[in-house]
Amino acid sequence: MRDAKPNKEKSPSKAAAAAERKTGVRRPDAARIPGASVHTSLASEIGLRIVRGDYPPGTILPNEAKWSETFSVSRSAVREAIKMLMAKSLLASRPKIGSWVEPKERWNLLDRDVLAWYATSPDREVFLKTVQEFRHIIEPEATAFAAMRRTDEQMAEISQACREMGEAASLQERTRADTRFHLAILRASGNDLLVPLGVLIESAFDHLFAFTTRAVDDLNHAQKLHEAIERNIRLQRPDAARNAVRKLLANTDGVIRSR
């Protein structure tokens, strides 16, 4: 009877590589990509490079093997990352051609990740101005509707956020309360289509305050402008509420221009 051939043990590096190919988990010795998961982190890295212009629209991206080699990740992780970017309309893909960058007008700028990449690109000031223009279009009328339609519960939410802005002990706390204030107004407008647009408002505050350093006097003035909005919504004065928002937006425009 012939002796059975001994099982050949895989070398540690080959075994790790095989496990990575099977599971999509990054090898311990691989270059580290920060993030909750490999494919999510990889999508964030590639997405940021696309949005900041490293890969202009129409560019054919490296293939799976090249990305896998560049970031020391599995091909399955690359495939999942590419799928995520396609879902955000940054990329399109076709067999035998590969993945390419879509025109900017097709990007899903209401996606939180895309907004975050856009906001950290070299033209961040352009991003903030773009968001401010969007706010000028949306917020005055949304606030007027809120003054006409808000419920007592919604009013309580708006008033509490406004009060917490004034009581905030840090700029971070104030920013969170400021965001809640404006999102509560969108909800109180009674138009369901406006609520998803709140992601732009939220992103604007997150990055506006990181972009600017605001003096105490400026914050006090901004607080009074917010209180005027709250008061006119509470008193159900749509025209006055609309004008109060326009004054607040003009003040924010001035902060951006002065930096």
Side-chain angles (χ1 to χ4, degrees):
M1 181 177 178
R2 296 177 60 183
D3 292 337
K5 292 183 179 180
N7 291 329
K8 293 183 179 180
E9 293 186 3
K10 295 181 180 179
S11 65
S13 60
K14 289 183 179 180
E20 181 191 1
R21 286 193 297 271
K22 184 177 181 180
T23 65
V25 176
R26 190 201 315 98
R27 301 193 310 273
D29 61 336
R32 183 164 184 80
I33 302 176
S37 65
V38 177
H39 70 272
T40 300
S41 299
L42 181 58
S44 180
E45 179 61 33
I46 298 173
L48 177 60
R49 294 184 182 197
I50 292 171
V51 172
R52 75 185 181 195
D54 293 2
Y55 300 107
T59 302
I60 302 293
L61 293 183
N63 59 26
E64 286 183 9
K66 184 62 177 177
W67 284 127
S68 180
E69 178 185 353
T70 299
F71 293 104
S72 298
V73 298
S74 68
R75 291 196 181 190
S76 62
V78 174
R79 284 193 292 273
E80 290 303 314
I82 297 301
K83 287 180 183 177
M84 288 182 64
L85 295 174
M86 290 176 63
K88 300 175 189 297
S89 299
L90 267 66
L91 297 179
S93 182
R94 188 174 298 170
K96 298 183 180 181
I97 297 178
S99 302
W100 65 89
V101 180
E102 287 279 67
K104 187 175 180 179
E105 58 267 23
R106 295 185 185 176
W107 297 355
N108 181 9
L109 290 178
L110 292 181
D111 181 274
R112 289 179 184 274
D113 291 333
V114 179
L115 275 173
W117 302 330
Y118 190 7
T120 56
S121 63
D123 58 351
R124 180 168 60 172
E125 188 171 355
V126 173
F127 163 77
L128 292 175
K129 289 179 178 178
T130 300
V131 174
Q132 277 298 106
E133 288 179 359
F134 176 86
R135 294 182 66 196
H136 276 283
I137 295 168
I138 297 297
E139 287 196 72
E141 294 307 316
T143 304
F145 279 124
M148 292 185 287
R149 298 172 176 175
R150 56 84 176 164
T151 64
D152 290 342
E153 291 78 9
Q154 290 169 334
M155 190 66 241
E157 185 180 7
I158 294 169
S159 298
Q160 180 178 350
C162 187
R163 183 171 59 255
E164 289 177 355
M165 284 179 61
E167 298 171 351
S170 67
L171 190 57
Q172 185 179 28
E173 287 181 9
R174 180 183 176 85
T175 300
R176 286 198 294 263
D178 200 343
T179 300
R180 289 197 301 274
F181 177 81
H182 289 277
L183 295 182
I185 291 174
L186 288 183
R187 288 191 291 271
S189 71
N191 188 311
D192 291 341
L193 292 180
L194 290 177
V195 177
L197 301 180
V199 66
L200 275 175
I201 306 302
E202 188 171 358
S203 181
F205 287 121
D206 286 345
H207 297 284
L208 176 62
F209 289 109
F211 179 71
T212 61
T213 301
R214 309 190 71 175
V216 174
D217 289 345
D218 184 35
L219 289 175
N220 289 338
H221 178 57
Q223 179 64 27
K224 292 178 181 178
L225 293 174
H226 282 82
E227 289 172 357
I229 296 170
E230 186 275 342
R231 181 171 58 254
N232 285 302
I233 294 176
R234 175 162 39 83
L235 297 176
Q236 297 186 298
R237 299 171 176 169
D239 291 337
R242 182 188 295 112
N243 290 332
V245 171
R246 286 174 175 159
K247 289 180 181 178
L248 175 65
L249 291 174
N251 180 69
T252 306
D253 291 342
V255 172
I256 295 175
R257 285 195 300 269
S258 66
R259 297 304 188 269

